Amino acid sequence: MSDPCLVIESLWLFPKLGAFCFSGFLLLSSTGEAYKGSKMDDCGDFIQLLGPDVSMNILMNLVDPCDLVRVCLVSSSWHRFVIENGLFKQLCVKLFPEISGVVHTIEANDLIYPAEFKEHDRSKSECQRRNHRVYAFLSRALNLFVRKDCISKAIAASSTDNYPEESIHNTLEPLDRIDNKALYWSSEGRSDPSISESLLYKLMAKMCLVTEIHVQPFQAYFQYDFPIYSSKAVRFRMGHLRVPEELQSKMADGSTYSHKLADNKFIWTYTSPEFPMAQENCLQKFKLPEPVLCIGGILQVELLGRVQRQEMDGLYYICISHVQAVGRPLLPRFDIEMLDSTGRCALKYMPETEKCMLSSASPVRENGSSSRLRSFTARLIRRGTRGWEQMILNALPRSRAAGANDADVVPSAPPS
């Protein structure tokens, strides 16, 4: 048997080498070349040789989900070790610390299902397998960058004073005026200052890990004394449509639906506490108590109470110039399918989406080592892989290229 010290030293090089495959001692170097050493019968299984504690410490040095997938492909015993010890869950929390706050919700409520998973099977081993697939999906599917532009479309407002000049669509613009034209949403005037309003938005992905919401009240620079039409407080709700296809058809009908809110069309799975809003002309940041995994991609901003009366008619208004949602959306090649009204969903991988994105981009010449690495990985998959791990590996080649829009991201600290 090989010297255990040499074995340990080789294993500690694992993160630097990029991948270490042991299936009759197959070692993949950083150049992508394969080396064949002693047979498994001569050397034994590294995990059995080193024990679970040392093996865990070694494998937790991996920071790329694709490397952990390759570990699963080495042998059935390695695959079982990764599942039973929840290594993908630990890696997912390491990559995205915000997700630690929603782990209980995901697992206790059976919120996310991999495709073709048997929902009725509640055995411990099946739950471990399901969580392994879920966290493998999330570790590969969530955006590595915290984005400030998670809102993709404005859907509707509870009321609008002058449509379309003062519509909700203006709140997606970062400025409150362009070429001396004011850009803001305005509610209808009310004599009762306690009447609230709501703004409804669609997020850029059906699943998004949201951490903050930013709202900027509008200052009427064209009125005497420059009044600021903020609300007394703000609250946020997230959820999904009762009938997913209805929103697209309604929005395609025209402007009738785009400025009137039909609240009974949505199911809210999260409601935030109330946050006081300052009567100030600035982008006010409201950090949620815990990150929220929004499944369904619908955000509602509730504007509670009114503080500013308009001088010309004596009515109270709320006016908003800008709204932002900050978080980590799914990458474009991943998606979810809603299973029922409780918010449970099935995971989907759509490589054709990435192909469409890449076809419109300029071709990038690949270096030789990267090409050899992918060729070796492809051969490894053909030898006998598991479908879910193959899906994750398929996302590897251009995962960096389809990352995030640099203009709208907040760099996150690298995992320690």
Side-chain angles (χ1 to χ4, degrees), residues 16-21 27-34 64 66-67 70 366-381 393 396-397:
K16 299 179 182 179
L17 293 173
F20 184 89
C21 268
L27 179 64
L28 176 62
S29 72
S30 58
T31 62
E33 298 174 351
D64 190 333
C66 292
D67 287 340
R70 292 190 183 97
E366 301 174 355
N367 58 45
S369 62
S370 298
S371 178
R372 287 195 297 273
L373 174 60
R374 282 190 286 276
S375 297
F376 176 80
T377 302
R379 292 198 301 273
L380 183 63
I381 291 174
L393 281 174
L396 170 65

Side-chain angles (χ1 to χ4, degrees), residues 89 93 99-111 130-131 135 290 293:
K89 175 181 176 180
V93 173
I99 207 169
S100 59
V102 299
V103 163
H104 175 75
T105 303
I106 292 175
E107 298 178 3
N109 299 338
D110 296 338
L111 202 59
R130 186 201 66 190
N131 289 337
Y135 290 112
E290 290 184 348
L293 190 65

Side-chain angles (χ1 to χ4, degrees), residues 22-95:
F22 178 56
S23 180
F25 259 2
L26 201 57
L27 179 64
L28 176 62
S29 72
S30 58
T31 62
E33 298 174 351
Y35 302 93
K36 191 155 186 173
S38 305
K39 295 182 179 179
M40 186 179 291
D41 294 339
D42 298 330
C43 298
D45 189 320
F46 277 178
I47 290 180
Q48 295 180 6
L49 177 65
L50 300 176
D53 294 338
V54 176
S55 300
M56 281 282 291
N57 288 334
I58 292 171
L59 294 178
M60 285 311 298
N61 278 279
L62 299 177
V63 295
D64 190 333
C66 292
D67 287 340
L68 193 53
V69 168
R70 292 190 183 97
V71 172
C72 296
L73 298 176
V74 171
S75 67
S76 58
S77 63
W78 284 36
H79 186 250
R80 185 169 58 253
F81 182 84
V82 171
I83 293 176
E84 292 177 351
N85 290 277
L87 292 185
F88 255 118
K89 175 181 176 180
Q90 297 184 52
L91 177 59
C92 192
V93 173
K94 186 177 181 180
L95 291 174

Side-chain angles (χ1 to χ4, degrees), residues 344-363:
R344 295 187 310 150
C345 63
L347 310 176
K348 297 172 64 178
Y349 172 59
M350 303 181 298
E352 63 275 6
T353 303
E354 184 181 24
K355 292 178 182 178
C356 293
M357 294 175 60
L358 292 173
S359 63
S360 61
S362 58

